[in-house]
Amino acid sequence: MAKTKITVNSNGSLRVEGEFEIVDKHGNVYGLGGRELVSICRCGMSKNKPFCDGSHKGHFEHDAEAFDLPPKKQ
């Protein structure tokens, strides 16, 4: 299986690329039209949710910087 990469964009979307599928809460698969790269909305303003339509521009601030999560609780 190909590796899936998710990039957290500063002030924007989650960019998903590689081999993946996206499903709704019922397990129904979104038709991606053969795309191997999509952007997922993080701001909640997109009219095309869960996909980004650029509505966040100028209205959403988050400086994406990687960090380590604490160890998983047992």
Side-chain angles (χ1 to χ4, degrees):
M1 175 183 227
K3 187 174 180 180
T4 301
K5 179 179 175 184
I6 301 173
T7 304
V8 181
N9 291 315
S10 290
N11 305 322
S13 63
L14 296 173
R15 178 184 167 120
V16 184
E17 54 191 307
E19 187 176 319
F20 60 89
E21 69 178 6
I22 300 174
V23 299
D24 67 13
K25 66 181 180 179
H26 304 290
N28 300 311
V29 178
Y30 284 89
L32 302 177
R35 289 172 179 80
E36 294 181 355
L37 187 155
V38 296
S39 292
I40 303 296
C41 176
R42 287 198 304 143
C43 73
M45 291 188 256
S46 176
K47 292 179 180 44
N48 195 32
K49 285 190 257 336
F51 305 101
C52 177
D53 67 2
S55 294
H56 63 273
K57 290 188 169 105
H59 303 285
F60 181 71
E61 292 186 27
H62 174 258
D63 189 23
E65 295 287 335
F67 60 90
D68 293 331
L69 291 174
K72 188 171 131 180
K73 292 182 182 178
Q74 302 273 334

